């Protein structure tokens, strides 16, 4: 059986040095910064990128989107999370 969205998020959190959450929750800005760091994504000056910008950068890095312009800044869907989990070794 495939993991749930919450299980995928928690696996990604753990793989990037963050803690698991017991409640369903999207990634926080700090968690997105940790994911970017784990993927080697440059988030700009002192990590001041918005959450939507970081999601777009992550989607491009993980090959979910072809370019920054075509990448969505919305929350990650299950397929996105699965690709991201594979990329960070979760």
């Amino acid at each position: 059986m495939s993991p749930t969205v919450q299980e995928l998020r928690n696996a990604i959190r753990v793989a990037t040095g963050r803690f698991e959450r017991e409640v369903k929750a999207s990634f926080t800005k700090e968690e997105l910064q940790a994911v970017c760091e784990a993927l080697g994504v440059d988030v700009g000056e002192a990590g001041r990128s918005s959450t939507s910008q970081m999601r777009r950068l992550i989607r491009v890095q993980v090959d979910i989107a072809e370019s920054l312009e075509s990448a969505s800044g919305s929350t990650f869907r299950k397929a996105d999370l699965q690709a991201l989990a594979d990329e960070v070794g979760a």
Side-chain angles (χ1 to χ4, degrees), residues 50-83:
S50 68
T51 55
S52 61
Q53 177 70 8
M54 285 189 279
R55 286 189 201 105
R56 293 173 68 213
L57 290 165
I58 290 167
R59 282 186 167 99
V60 171
Q61 182 70 27
V62 181
D63 293 328
I64 295 169
E66 291 183 22
S67 68
L68 195 57
E69 294 77 25
S70 67
S72 169
S74 63
T75 58
F76 295 112
R77 302 251 185 234
K78 187 172 184 177
D80 299 339
L81 292 170
Q82 288 173 323

Side-chain angles (χ1 to χ4, degrees), residues 1-58:
M1 190 153 115
S2 68
T4 66
V5 168
Q6 183 62 19
E7 290 169 336
L8 286 167
R9 281 191 192 117
N10 277 333
I12 293 165
R13 285 180 177 112
V14 169
T16 58
R18 307 302 293 179
F19 62 92
E20 289 186 32
R21 293 182 178 258
E22 293 184 25
V23 296
K24 292 182 181 180
S26 301
F27 291 121
T28 64
K29 187 171 186 173
E30 292 78 15
E31 290 168 337
L32 287 172
Q33 287 175 328
V35 170
C36 286
E37 195 173 292
L39 295 172
V41 175
D42 180 21
V43 293
E45 329 174 358
R48 296 189 191 272
S49 293
S50 68
T51 55
S52 61
Q53 177 70 8
M54 285 189 279
R55 286 189 201 105
R56 293 173 68 213
L57 290 165
I58 290 167

